[in-house]
């Protein structure tokens, strides 16, 4: 099928009627407003959307680009923006609708959320001496207390750094050390597939030896037995009892840091992406309103984990800033069967369902007919994020889950962008399967030629760049200014000026729609999670039998990409399968289960240039089963390629 024949799906007119942005001319008017007077555009929305304690005096200061300041002079507090200002009008509305793995349900109103967050904030202050600017690591399951912990930090100006619960003790330790954290908030464990699992023992291992952590706060969820370090470990149930439910919100500057979130890059060490206060919360709220068009009576469910940026922006901050009801789910979508999400949609009358293509593929594969068994008529908008969505998954999602009446918003963004940057708007944008379509109004995103820095033409590919700073953009890499500048502003120049490069390639179709084609760097996308090849290689190198390793991504039916490792051993091992196991065990220990390799090949050598650079492109092609046609005569040892090809593809 040629691209121009790609099917186009028009927005549902019923939905458009009441949408905030109703058609493409309204979209264009907003985007023109931004292009014509960028600062006025943002100043208008910042005034309209944020409850300022003191108004800002300057909209955008780019004199020190790429270190920019948004809404300088403004004072606000994010927890106030997410909670207090709703209490008069929607205090008794459900803020968080929690469903546990075993079906237990909690409905937490805005009034109750206010109390829990204030008590939690008082606990951090009074019992642990937490102050504005302190770093708090949160290592938690998907339970409401994770949201309380985040909001409690923002209430007192502490900077949270959430580490995804699937990361190993080593990975947790690295992040605790890099952030120099004072407190770790965790849980004994939680429930998955009907059974308890543990988190606290991972924290114990991570804190062995000397770290900066003075206190660990343990939320009792599964009530399994845990070891207790006196003087360090504290029971949440005990300490929260006598806390006041009033805690004055710290007055924060627009550019005070809000949180850190570690993500993978092209070196072995993850980067602590820093987001600041005003710009982040503004865009979290605006994208809830524009991209999801969430209304007062809606029930919004984002299935991500709070350990990823999607969980930060679209489970906690965005929905609560808008005053929505946000669903939080402890379990996995396929337990007790692949109808679980649809059962939840029916029961809670969920209107918005936002998930990753990998989850859609699993649900499709394991429960093709499950959606038919439930009443999904409450659904209005479906969303995807994390990787390109393949046409069969899109079709099933659109037809079977959305009953061919819901918009699918294919939202493209990153940990670094804080919120959506390219996405359809559900009431306005005609959509095409697998296509993120157009920049969200206010975002000046362009596909540039990496060499000339010029915008590429229709039908052409280039680098996905954002050419003006936007409010929710990354403000720094924690403790590493140089890496921030190099990693994001070092590759592409437009009109001689450095611009933000996402790391993704992209293409315009004949209508000017943007399709993301994938990473241009050594980052793999496993089930919508970013994994640096260098990070996995560093872990594998810890195996004493390994001499050299190169890791690449390989297309995977469910995960999108799987991890494929080419390893040169120091000398032959007796039992290759045992060696593969031992390597994956090291990966589990150093990073976590998400980085386990699907394929491990013991190669006689790696294809390298004469200067010693590993030719990953060749390794990627071999992993995919492609024939190598490119010129390899300049390699240090060209015969290696044929040998590896034989081993992998026969
Ligand atoms: C990378 C960012 C943003 C939350 C989840 C992942 C890829 C993200 C899409 C999409 C194609 C996508 C990109 C991006 N990506 N959304 N809709 N279509 N690719 O956050 O871990 O920071 O990863 O995910 O490659 O750079 P992240």
């Amino acid at each position: 099928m040629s691209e121009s024949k790609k099917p186009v799906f028009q927005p549902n007119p019923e939905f458009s009627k009441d949408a905030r942005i109703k058609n493409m001319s309204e979209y264009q008017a907003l985007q023109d407003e931004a292009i014509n007077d960028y600062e006025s555009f943002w100043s208008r929305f910042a005034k309209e959307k944020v409850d300022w304690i003191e108004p800002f005096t300057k909209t955008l200061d780019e004199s020190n680009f790429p270190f920019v300041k948004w809404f300088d002079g403004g004072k606000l507090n994010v927890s106030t923006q997410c909670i207090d200002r709703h209490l008069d009008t929607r205090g008794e509305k459900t803020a968080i609708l929690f469903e546990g793995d075993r079906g237990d349900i909690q409905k937490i109103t805005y009034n109750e959320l206010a109390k829990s967050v204030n008590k939690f904030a008082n606990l951090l202050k009074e019992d642990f001496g937490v102050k504005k600017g302190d770093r708090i690591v949160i290592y938690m399951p998907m339970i409401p207390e994770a949201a309380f912990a985040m909001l409690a930090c923002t209430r007192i100006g502490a900077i949270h750094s959430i580490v995804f619960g699937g990361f190993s003790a080593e990975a947790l330790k690295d992040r605790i050390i890099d952030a120099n954290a004072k407190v770790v908030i965790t849980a004994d464990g939680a429930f998955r597939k009907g059974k308890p699992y543990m988190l606290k023992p991972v924290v114990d291992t991570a804190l062995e030896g000397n770290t900066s952590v003075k206190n660990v706060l343990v939320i009792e969820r599964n009530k399994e037995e845990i070891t207790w370090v006196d003087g360090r470990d504290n029971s949440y149930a005990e300490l929260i009892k006598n806390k006041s439910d009033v805690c004055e919100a710290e007055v924060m500057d627009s550019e005070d840091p809000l949180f850190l979130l570690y993500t993978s890059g092209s070196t072995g060490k993850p980067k602590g992406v820093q987001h600041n206060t005003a710009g982040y919360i503004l865009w979290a709220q605006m994208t809830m309103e524009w991209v999801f068009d969430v209304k007062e009576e809606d029930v919004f469910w984002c299935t991500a984990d709070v350990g990823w940026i999607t969980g930060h922006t679209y489970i906690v901050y965005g929905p609560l800033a808008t005053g929505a009801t946000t669903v939080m789910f402890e379990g996995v979508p396929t337990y007790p069967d692949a109808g679980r999400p649809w059962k939840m949609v029916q029961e809670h009358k969920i209107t918005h369902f936002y998930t990753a293509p990998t989850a859609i593929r699993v649900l499709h594969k394991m429960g093709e007919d499950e959606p038919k068994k439930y009443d999904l008529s409450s659904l209005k908008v479906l969303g995807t994020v994390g990787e390109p969505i393949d046409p069969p998954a899109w079709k099933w999602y659109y037809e079977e889950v959305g009953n061919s009446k819901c918009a699918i918003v294919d939202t493209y963004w990153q940990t670094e962008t804080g919120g959506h940057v390219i996405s359809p708007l559900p009431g306005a944008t005609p959509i095409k399967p697998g296509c993120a379509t157009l920049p969200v109004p206010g975002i000046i995103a362009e596909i540039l030629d990496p060499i000339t820095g010029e915008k590429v033409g229709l039908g052409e590919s280039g680098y996905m760049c954002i050419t003006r700073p936007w409010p929710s953009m990354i403000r720094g890499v924690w403790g590493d200014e140089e890496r921030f500048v190099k990693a994001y502003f070092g590759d592409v120049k437009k009109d001689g000026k450095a611009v933000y490069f996402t790391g993704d390639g992209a293409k315009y179709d004949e209508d000017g729609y943007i399709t993301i084609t994938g990473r241009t760097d050594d980052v793999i996308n496993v089930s919508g999670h970013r994994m640096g090849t260098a990070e996995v290689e560093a872990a594998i190198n810890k195996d004493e039998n390994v001499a050299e390793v190169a890791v690449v991504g390989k297309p995977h039916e469910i995960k999108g990409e799987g991890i494929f490792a080419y390893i040169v051993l120091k000398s032959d091992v007796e039992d290759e399968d045992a060696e593969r196991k031992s390597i994956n065990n090291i990966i589990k220990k150093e990073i976590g289960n998400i980085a386990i390799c699907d394929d491990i090949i013991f190669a006689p050598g790696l294809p390298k240039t004469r200067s010693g650079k590993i030719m990953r492109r060749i390794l990627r092609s071999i992993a995919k089963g492609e024939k190598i046609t490119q010129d390899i005569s300049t390699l240090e040892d060209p015969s290696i390629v044929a040998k590896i090809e034989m081993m992998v593809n026969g």
Side-chain angles (χ1 to χ4, degrees):
M1 200 183 335
S2 91
E3 253 173 334
S4 53
K5 298 278 157 23
K6 254 194 185 170
V8 178
F9 297 80
Q10 298 299 329
N12 181 341
E14 274 302 297
F15 185 88
S16 301
K17 221 170 53 195
D18 301 318
R20 289 184 180 84
I21 301 174
K22 295 179 171 45
N23 50 52
M24 287 313 279
S25 39
E26 289 189 9
Y27 163 82
Q28 202 53 54
L30 274 169
Q31 187 63 328
D32 288 346
E33 183 186 336
I35 291 169
N36 295 336
D37 192 347
Y38 199 59
E39 290 192 29
S40 302
F41 172 90
W42 285 111
S43 155
R44 163 158 100 91
F45 286 106
K47 283 180 190 152
E48 201 177 293
K49 304 289 176 189
V50 175
D51 266 28
W52 296 97
I53 299 171
E54 273 178 43
F56 57 91
T57 48
K58 188 164 174 50
T59 303
L60 169 63
D61 176 357
E62 14 179 8
S63 56
N64 199 19
F65 183 88
F67 301 91
V68 300
K69 285 189 194 162
W70 278 98
F71 314 119
D72 208 19
K75 304 220 184 279
L76 73 162
N77 181 283
V78 163
S79 77
T80 312
Q81 180 79 10
C82 291
I83 306 169
D84 305 50
R85 69 187 182 120
H86 302 311
L87 297 182
D88 281 346
T89 50
R90 39 176 93 95
E92 287 307 302
K93 174 177 176 176
T94 301
I96 299 178
L97 197 168
F98 170 75
E99 179 161 322
D101 174 69
R102 297 159 306 157
D104 45 317
I105 288 166
Q106 277 183 58
K107 291 182 180 174
I108 300 159
T109 64
Y110 274 94
N111 282 330
E112 289 163 340
L113 179 65
K115 287 190 177 142
S116 298
V117 169
N118 283 343
K119 284 187 185 184
F120 207 132
N122 281 326
L123 184 163
L124 295 176
K125 273 210 296 210
E126 292 165 21
D127 295 318
F128 305 151
V130 175
K131 290 191 199 58
K132 178 175 173 180
D134 285 343
R135 271 82 56 214
I136 310 292
V137 163
I138 299 177
Y139 187 68
M140 289 272 280
M142 285 289 292
I143 54 176
E145 289 80 0
F148 301 168
M150 295 163 77
L151 290 159
C153 287
T154 68
R155 189 136 195 107
I156 59 177
I159 304 169
H160 62 68
S161 169
I162 308 190
V163 179
F164 169 58
F167 276 120
S168 70
E170 280 304 314
L172 175 60
K173 186 187 199 107
D174 290 346
R175 287 159 176 77
I176 289 170
I177 293 174
D178 192 79
N180 201 16
K182 186 167 180 175
V183 172
V184 174
I185 303 172
T186 187
D188 44 8
F191 297 92
R192 187 189 291 131
K193 298 190 186 172
K195 293 193 191 71
Y197 72 92
M198 302 303 287
L199 282 173
K200 170 68 164 50
V202 185
V203 175
D204 291 333
T205 312
L207 294 182
E208 275 167 18
N210 268 331
T211 66
S212 48
V213 173
K214 301 282 180 294
N215 287 100
V216 174
L217 183 65
V218 184
I219 286 131
E220 293 88 347
R221 167 67 183 156
N222 64 17
K223 310 210 169 54
E224 295 290 303
E225 208 174 306
I226 49 175
T227 53
W228 207 256
V229 177
D230 281 331
R232 186 197 73 185
D233 295 350
N234 303 268
S235 154
Y236 172 76
E238 275 304 309
L239 295 187
I240 205 77
K241 267 190 212 152
N242 59 0
K243 293 295 176 292
S244 155
D245 59 17
V246 180
C247 174
E248 184 133 1
E250 188 79 27
V251 177
M252 304 296 284
D253 289 333
S254 288
E255 287 293 344
D256 275 333
L258 180 64
F259 64 80
L260 305 180
L261 184 57
Y262 284 80
T263 190
S264 298
S266 47
T267 75
K269 194 173 173 270
K271 314 178 257 207
V273 171
Q274 181 186 328
H275 281 289
N276 289 0
T277 302
Y280 173 83
I281 199 64
L282 173 65
W283 194 232
Q285 183 178 328
M286 285 176 70
T287 49
M288 281 300 294
E289 295 176 358
W290 284 352
V291 176
F292 293 122
D293 205 16
V294 165
K295 297 283 172 51
E296 189 62 41
E297 64 287 355
D298 287 346
V299 180
F300 182 88
W301 183 17
C302 162
T303 70
D305 189 283
V306 288
W308 308 112
I309 191 68
T310 313
H312 285 60
T313 310
Y314 298 111
I315 295 177
V316 179
Y317 291 118
L320 297 178
T322 341
T325 295
T326 182
V327 177
M328 210 174 168
F329 176 48
E330 180 188 34
V332 297
T334 50
Y335 177 82
D337 57 49
R340 181 70 181 266
W342 319 132
K343 184 159 179 273
M344 284 177 63
V345 168
Q346 172 178 293
E347 273 180 21
H348 304 306
K349 301 205 168 34
I350 287 165
T351 53
H352 291 66
F353 181 72
Y354 187 34
T355 197
T358 184
I360 298 167
R361 289 192 292 267
V362 170
L363 291 167
H364 180 197
K365 204 169 166 171
M366 292 179 62
E368 188 164 5
D369 294 323
E370 289 293 329
K372 290 191 179 54
K373 298 185 189 160
Y374 299 93
D375 176 5
L376 304 182
S377 59
S378 57
L379 285 173
K380 297 197 268 190
V381 178
L382 303 173
T384 74
V385 58
E387 52 175 322
I389 177 164
D390 44 296
W394 195 96
K395 188 169 181 285
W396 181 76
Y397 199 36
Y398 187 78
E399 290 173 358
E400 300 301 322
V401 180
N403 196 20
S404 304
K405 72 175 178 56
C406 298
I408 295 188
V409 287
D410 180 343
T411 64
Y412 167 80
W413 58 298
Q414 311 178 294
T415 304
E416 293 85 346
T417 67
H420 306 142
V421 286
I422 297 169
S423 174
L425 306 177
T429 319
I431 51 176
K432 303 181 190 181
C435 180
T437 71
L438 297 165
V440 183
I443 303 293
I444 314 299
E446 296 174 295
I447 307 175
L448 301 181
D449 180 306
I451 311 217
T452 63
E454 271 166 43
K455 188 168 169 173
V456 305
L458 298 185
E460 288 176 7
S461 305
Y463 279 21
M464 192 71 247
C465 296
I466 307 177
T467 50
R468 298 287 324 254
W470 65 105
S472 66
M473 83 185 237
I474 176 176
R475 291 300 195 280
V477 171
W478 188 252
D480 199 342
E481 280 196 357
E482 201 186 313
R483 190 168 178 197
F484 167 64
V485 178
K486 239 186 106 197
Y488 301 106
F489 304 92
D491 292 295
V492 189
K493 281 199 169 108
K494 190 189 176 196
D495 302 326
K497 258 188 68 188
V499 294
Y500 177 87
F501 171 43
T502 58
D504 288 299
K507 189 177 177 186
Y508 287 119
D509 72 7
E510 66 289 344
D511 297 322
Y513 272 23
I514 295 168
T515 298
I516 303 296
T517 52
R519 304 283 309 188
T520 62
D521 54 9
D522 291 326
V523 170
I524 313 179
N525 191 328
V526 186
S527 303
H529 302 313
R530 242 154 93 177
M531 206 30 69
T533 52
E535 228 174 307
V536 182
E537 288 165 4
I540 294 175
N541 264 317
K542 296 210 164 147
D543 185 297
E544 53 180 19
N545 296 323
V546 170
E548 258 190 314
V549 51
V551 159
V552 298
K554 171 188 171 177
H556 185 284
E557 203 192 340
I558 297 290
K559 296 195 265 190
E561 270 188 298
I563 305 179
F564 194 118
Y566 296 89
I567 292 174
V568 183
L569 294 171
K570 286 179 185 153
S571 55
D572 287 350
V573 291
E574 227 159 74
D575 184 344
E576 289 200 343
D577 277 336
E579 179 60 22
R580 285 193 183 92
K581 264 203 194 105
S582 124
I583 287 166
N584 267 332
N585 278 332
I586 289 186
I587 293 174
K588 269 191 225 172
K589 178 168 167 287
E590 294 292 321
I591 304 173
N593 287 333
I594 45 173
I596 282 178
C597 296
D598 295 299
D599 300 272
I600 296 178
I601 289 289
F602 296 117
L606 299 176
K608 287 184 191 163
T609 60
R610 293 213 174 102
S611 61
K613 189 171 152 20
I614 297 172
M615 296 296 290
R616 280 164 207 282
R617 204 156 23 97
I618 293 179
L619 294 174
R620 270 196 290 269
S621 298
I622 297 177
K624 272 195 209 160
E626 290 170 359
K627 269 242 128 332
I628 303 297
T629 49
Q630 65 208 87
D631 176 28
I632 53 167
S633 60
T634 57
L635 294 187
E636 184 193 53
D637 176 3
S639 73
I640 286 287
V641 175
K643 286 180 194 153
I644 301 178
E645 264 190 303
M646 268 304 284
M647 295 180 74
V648 177
N649 299 320

